């Protein structure tokens, strides 16, 4: 439980600090949109997938949405249609990167002693359903911001 809380704090700190830097240097946070959630999901959260896979998946997609929301609200630069398109493009790239890393973790974090096929299928379904819900939320809610 302590590792889970520490990983959450590290991830939120990275997202918030990236957007604070982006407030003063607009292109930084936009370019970090594709890479930063991937670093958090693939690197920082590696141990979380073994503790609670579903919570780690929801946290990963939450980091992606929080980063996009903070960029749209607080990033420096002009917020015209071209800027919003770049933000959407880099968010989509980040979505693809974190979804692919979660799919890899869905198959590799299953221990040998568990029922491998059932656990892998439940992990795969957790990633697919959470990804679809995240994409729907992003297109419906955050796409209009």
């Amino acid at each position: 439980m302590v590792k889970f809380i520490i990983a959450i704090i590290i991830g939120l700190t990275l997202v918030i600090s990236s957007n604070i830097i982006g407030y003063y240097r607009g292109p930084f946070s936009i370019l970090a949109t594709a890479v930063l959630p991937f670093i958090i999901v693939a690197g920082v959260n590696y141990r979380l997938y073994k503790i609670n896979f579903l919570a780690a998946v929801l946290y990963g997609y939450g980091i992606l949405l929080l980063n996009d929301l903070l960029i749209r609200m607080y990033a420096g630069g002009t917020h015209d249609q071209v800027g919003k398109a770049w933000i959407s493009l880099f968010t989509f790239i980040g979505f693809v990167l974190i979804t692919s890393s979660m799919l890899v973790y869905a198959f590799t974090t299953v221990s040998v002693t568990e029922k491998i096929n059932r656990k892998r299928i439940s992990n795969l379904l957790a990633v697919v359903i959470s990804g679809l819900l995240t994409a729907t939320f992003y297109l419906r809610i955050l796409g209009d911001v």
Side-chain angles (χ1 to χ4, degrees), residues 30 72 78-90:
I30 295 173
R72 290 177 186 265
T78 58
H79 292 261
D80 56 356
Q81 294 301 324
V82 176
K84 289 180 182 179
W86 279 108
I87 292 170
S88 296
L89 175 68
F90 282 113

Side-chain angles (χ1 to χ4, degrees), residues 48-62:
L48 299 182
Y49 293 105
K50 293 182 180 181
I51 297 171
N52 188 344
F53 191 83
L54 179 62
V57 168
L58 293 175
Y59 172 66
Y61 285 126

Side-chain angles (χ1 to χ4, degrees), residues 104-138:
V104 168
Y105 287 144
F107 292 107
T108 59
T109 57
V110 177
S111 66
V112 179
T113 60
E114 297 180 58
K115 293 185 176 184
I116 293 175
N117 290 334
R118 178 172 280 184
K119 190 68 172 172
R120 286 183 178 171
I121 290 172
S122 68
N123 289 350
L124 177 68
L125 286 175
V127 173
V128 170
I129 291 171
S130 298
L132 288 174
L133 290 173
T134 301
T136 303
F137 178 78
Y138 177 77

Side-chain angles (χ1 to χ4, degrees), residues 8 95 110:
I8 288 173
F95 178 79
V110 177

